[in-house]
Amino acid sequence: MRIARFTTGEDPMYGIVQEKDGQDMVYGITGDPLYTEIRPTGTIHPLSEVRLLAPVIPRSKVVCVGRNYAAHAAELGNEVPEQALFFLKPNTAVVGPGDPVMLPAYSQEVSLEAELAVVIKRMTKDVTAAQVPDHVLGYTCANDLTARDAQRAEDQWFRAKAFDTSCPIGPWIETDLDPSALRITSTVDGEIAQDGTTADMVRPVAELIAEISTVVTLLPGDLVLTGTPAGVRTAPPGSVVEVTIEGLGTLSNPMVRR
Ligand code: MG
């Protein structure tokens, strides 16, 4: 099932994206699927006539992992760390499909990072890897935009990773997906940048979430970004970046200099 958040000009609402007679449609649902049973409102819109929004705004946080694909660690001159390298993005970094990424004034080198994002379904603390599937609502595409020059300049990655609009997600949450071997690609203005597979993660989804849950409590709607494959590159102002994950869809965002 594909859960989208969208607007037709009124207040945002949730819907289920399904094909009907060869056309993708959005079936409106009541409430918030993280907290309420999925019940149709009876409204139907062609997908092409709605504006998709970030499918979830995390209640508390986005937890990310660095260097979780060996070839990407190597391309930036890093080793795969012995301990998973976690960091946070604030929920104010999250934007949706088509939303502009506002390049921060202090960076001349903002890079794209295509990532599989996990949407947490229920409170998650001290779980085992085997328990993780019960805590996952679904998956979406994410772009962990990174001010590479700021990242080189400081040990903490606040300026590099946490700036407003640095975490586009979408186009929707896919609830029926096996995350273990999905093709993941990115492009800049249609030119291929990354072309990898989630099978190359050093630490798989369940292991990451179990380990994160030993540190913090994950809340419903929180996101876990699972690292990026090799091929990252700077996305200049005026370019359009796309992240595509097999079985999920494509997330597209323009890069804009404020
Ligand atoms: Mg990343």
Side-chain angles (χ1 to χ4, degrees):
M1 182 169 59
R2 292 177 160 176
I3 302 173
R5 200 167 139 259
F6 70 98
T7 178
T8 54
E10 312 278 309
D11 287 343
M13 62 183 294
Y14 284 91
I16 306 300
V17 179
Q18 255 175 21
E19 203 188 287
K20 185 176 181 252
D21 304 328
Q23 194 183 6
D24 276 334
M25 307 295 288
V26 187
Y27 295 78
I29 55 175
T30 58
D32 181 336
L34 274 166
Y35 297 101
T36 53
E37 205 183 311
I38 288 181
R39 221 174 288 131
T41 58
T43 61
I44 310 174
H45 305 276
L47 179 62
S48 56
E49 287 176 18
V50 307
R51 183 175 154 230
L52 291 179
L53 305 169
V56 66
I57 300 293
R59 270 54 172 181
S60 68
K61 56 198 164 295
V62 181
V63 184
C64 307
V65 61
R67 299 168 197 165
N68 197 33
Y69 289 75
H72 166 65
E75 74 180 339
L76 296 183
N78 298 306
E79 306 261 317
V80 170
E82 222 163 277
Q83 272 209 112
L85 174 64
F86 295 119
F87 59 94
L88 290 169
K89 281 178 183 280
N91 58 3
T92 43
V94 172
V95 290
D99 287 343
V101 172
M102 304 305 290
L103 298 168
Y106 54 77
S107 177
Q108 301 305 314
E109 201 186 333
V110 173
S111 173
L112 84 174
E113 292 192 0
E115 309 209 3
L116 178 75
V118 186
V119 183
I120 299 296
K121 179 162 68 177
R122 57 174 60 99
M123 198 179 281
T124 301
K125 178 64 183 167
D126 291 331
V127 295
T128 63
Q131 291 170 320
V132 165
D134 284 341
H135 291 253
V136 171
L137 175 67
Y139 301 88
T140 192
C141 304
N143 196 340
D144 170 23
L145 289 149
T146 303
R148 204 65 76 194
D149 40 4
Q151 188 181 34
R152 283 191 298 269
E154 58 184 6
D155 290 334
Q156 294 283 330
W157 294 347
F158 183 68
R159 287 181 188 79
K161 296 280 199 178
F163 60 89
D164 287 350
T165 73
S166 66
C167 190
I169 59 168
W172 39 62
I173 300 165
E174 174 57 75
T175 59
D176 307 307
L177 195 68
D178 174 356
S180 60
L182 302 172
R183 188 176 180 201
I184 176 166
T185 60
S186 64
T187 61
V188 179
D189 286 337
E191 203 173 293
I192 196 90
Q194 300 169 278
D195 188 355
T197 164
T198 59
D200 287 342
M201 284 186 196
V202 175
R203 293 173 176 86
V205 167
E207 198 180 307
L208 289 173
I209 291 175
E211 195 177 342
I212 291 165
S213 82
T214 67
V215 184
V216 291
T217 302
L218 292 165
L219 299 180
D222 281 353
L223 290 171
V224 173
L225 269 54
T226 55
T228 202
V232 296
R233 71 164 70 155
T234 301
S239 64
V240 173
V241 296
E242 289 194 340
V243 173
T244 300
I245 299 178
E246 183 184 356
L248 245 169
T250 296
L251 168 68
S252 178
N253 299 90
M255 309 287 280
V256 174
R257 177 67 73 190
R258 208 183 286 271

